[in-house]
Amino acid sequence: MLGSKDVAATIPVKDLEVAQKFYQETLGLTPVHNEDDQAITYRSGNTEILVYESQFAGTNKATAATWGVGNDIEREVQALKAKGVTFEHYNNMPNTTVQGDLHVSGDMKVAWFKDPDGNIHALINK
C-alpha cells in the first residue's frame, strides 16, 4: 500500500508570487518544478512541498507542514526571525511551557510560524 511511498505537503496560497518569495527567500527552499504559474514544487531535504493557488488558502487552523530540525531548533528559529518570521505562542497546551518562541514539553521542543497566507508550519527538535 502507501507505507513505502513518498508523500508531499500540499500548501494552498492566495498569491503564488508572494508565496514564492516567502518559501524561497525566507525559508530557503529550492524550486524543482513550476506548473503554468499556478503551482510550484519545492525540495526540502528528501521531501517535496507543493505550493499552489487556491481560494481556500489560509483556512486550515492546524499545522500544515513540520520540519524536523534536530538540536538546531534554536538556531533555526533565530535565523528565521532574522528574516522577519514571527513565531506563534500557544499558552493553552497541557504539560507545555513557552520558553521564548519554543513550546517545551519534556524533551520535545516545537516552534510554530505562519506563511503570508496564514498556513501554519512548525519546527521540531527531532
Side-chain angles (χ1 to χ4, degrees), residues 28-32 41-49:
L29 302 183
T30 302
V32 294
T41 301
Y42 291 99
R43 169 85 49 216
S44 183
N46 293 320
T47 60
E48 292 182 345
I49 295 177

Side-chain angles (χ1 to χ4, degrees), residues 67-81 87 102 107 109-111 122-126:
W67 282 266
V69 297
N71 293 329
D72 291 335
I73 191 164
E74 288 92 351
R75 186 175 19 240
E76 293 289 346
V77 166
Q78 290 306 315
L80 289 172
K81 283 181 77 166
F87 285 85
L102 297 175
D107 293 335
K109 296 178 183 178
V110 183
L123 306 177
I124 190 168
N125 68 324
K126 58 182 238 188

Side-chain angles (χ1 to χ4, degrees), residues 2-8 46-47:
L2 298 179
S4 64
K5 305 298 182 193
D6 294 334
V7 66
N46 293 320
T47 60

